[in-house]
Amino acid sequence: MRGLNFILSLVFSVFGLCAYLAFDYAMVARQAKARGEEPMSVVTYASGLLQLAGALSGNDGDPARSDAPQTLVAMLPAPPEGWTVRPAEPADVEAFLPPGARGKQADRVRAIGVPREGKGLTGARVIYEKGPRKVVAEVIRYPDFIFTSFMAMAQKFELQMLTAEYGGRDFATVRGLEIREAPLPEDFGARLFVAEVGAQIHLRMLASKAMSDEDLLPFLSTLNVPAMNANVVERTTGLGEVPVIVLASVLDAETRKTFEAERDAERQRRAEEQAAREAELEAERKAAEDAERGLTTDEKTGVKVRKGTGSGDGSRFETSGGTLDDSDCVAIAGGKTCGAPPPPGDD
């Protein structure tokens, strides 16, 4: 008997897990469709689950991406003429800081030279050198499972907010990618630049403080924005396709005003699209939950009701506003409806 109970328990557990995964995949596919992309394939979704399982089990969480560091290095700028490039080390970044530097901004600078920790996370960091001038670039890619499952929504939100936490000013737009310059203390010997693609790939660049905006143009011109956009789950339409680089510092007042207005309008459009997608997905999720619990929504009143359950004057029925007793219920088609008016002609 115990063996039978175990088998039944196992069957129902597997059935419940499969039902949840089917629902989760349907939501992710609808989200991709809402962004105008091709729905995610089952193979891609399964790959995200394998990454999650790998992360939970203690390995790197992404066994299929053994070439990830090389792929990320290819996204970074090519060394301009006369510059050398090599893998960056913590000591390379420390040289940008005054002795004994402490605090959040010093930690942010130091982090660029240190491999990031995290299951399924991959990164690459290099240093370009030409005499006393140095540029350190780091690119980090977070695992797909954060962006392919509702189970990781909190992590996804944190990544979406990460670049904004640096603050700063507009520095440049490179093929549609917005790059900002984050503020650093005056005694730091560096300039810090940040950008992100789809919240999944994050770019950090340190440059010698003596380097001007124009000095950095050769690096920006070979930044591989199309490769970044191609390697994230939530791609941005058109990013990397327009061969235009705009330095904010060289714009005159009128041109800058027009540029900022267009940029703000594009940001607002993306924010509204994201909000609409999230609202639609939340409504679909709630509708699926209601269906599981036997709840329906009255089309005329918008009130959620549960039909055909309970009996007797003491029975209670679940609605969107809580519970109602029989005094607010009517008999329809052999069952009971609570929280919705009776059909026309009913007494």
Side-chain angles (χ1 to χ4, degrees), residues 17-267:
L17 176 62
C18 291
Y20 172 79
L21 293 178
F23 169 73
D24 191 46
Y25 171 73
M27 292 296 99
V28 173
R30 287 175 184 171
Q31 188 176 29
K33 186 176 180 181
R35 293 193 300 268
E37 303 171 0
E38 287 295 321
M40 182 184 301
S41 69
V42 175
V43 173
T44 301
Y45 179 76
S47 174
L49 290 179
L50 289 175
Q51 290 179 34
L52 177 59
L56 293 175
S57 66
N59 62 31
D60 66 3
D62 199 356
R65 294 185 58 84
S66 59
D67 64 335
Q70 290 72 29
T71 301
L72 296 180
V73 169
M75 299 176 187
L76 294 172
E81 185 177 355
W83 288 73
T84 61
V85 61
R86 61 176 173 81
E89 300 176 356
D92 296 320
V93 174
E94 196 68 32
F96 288 104
L97 299 171
R102 294 290 182 270
K104 180 184 293 186
Q105 290 166 315
D107 291 342
R108 286 173 173 172
V109 171
R110 287 192 177 96
I112 295 175
V114 179
R116 308 277 175 147
E117 296 182 355
K119 301 300 182 182
L121 183 151
T122 53
R125 54 203 55 79
V126 299
I127 180 170
Y128 308 86
E129 297 173 297
K130 184 179 182 181
R133 295 189 294 176
K134 302 178 188 297
V135 175
V136 177
E138 178 191 42
V139 62
I140 307 165
R141 185 184 188 277
Y142 290 86
D144 286 351
F145 69 78
I146 297 177
F147 302 86
T148 58
S149 175
F150 283 104
M151 292 184 287
M153 285 296 289
Q155 290 174 277
K156 177 181 175 181
F157 179 76
E158 289 178 4
L159 292 177
Q160 289 173 331
M161 298 295 104
L162 188 58
T163 297
E165 292 176 1
Y166 282 77
R169 66 177 183 89
D170 294 329
F171 168 66
T173 299
V174 180
R175 296 179 177 84
L177 176 65
E178 294 181 9
I179 301 177
R180 297 182 63 81
E181 181 170 8
L184 291 177
E186 285 295 323
D187 58 344
F188 281 31
R191 302 175 67 185
L192 173 60
F193 305 95
V194 298
E196 56 87 12
V197 178
Q200 188 173 4
I201 288 180
H202 291 254
L203 173 71
R204 305 285 181 263
M205 291 182 66
L206 283 171
S208 298
K209 196 170 186 177
M211 295 182 67
S212 67
D213 293 358
E214 288 77 7
D215 290 336
L216 293 167
L217 269 176
F219 295 92
L220 301 181
S221 64
T222 56
L223 187 63
N224 198 340
V225 179
M228 293 182 183
N229 196 39
N231 279 274
V232 297
V233 172
E234 298 186 355
R235 298 181 179 86
T236 300
T237 303
L239 185 64
E241 296 177 3
V242 181
V244 175
I245 300 175
V246 179
L247 284 176
S249 60
V250 302
L251 300 176
D252 59 47
E254 192 62 32
T255 305
R256 184 179 181 86
K257 184 177 180 180
T258 301
F259 170 76
E260 290 179 347
E262 292 175 350
R263 179 207 60 196
D264 292 343
E266 178 62 16
R267 286 179 179 173

Side-chain angles (χ1 to χ4, degrees), residues 315-332:
S315 60
R316 304 181 74 81
F317 302 83
E318 189 171 357
T319 72
S320 58
T323 57
L324 299 172
D325 58 30
D326 274 358
S327 62
D328 199 26
C329 300
V330 294
I332 300 178

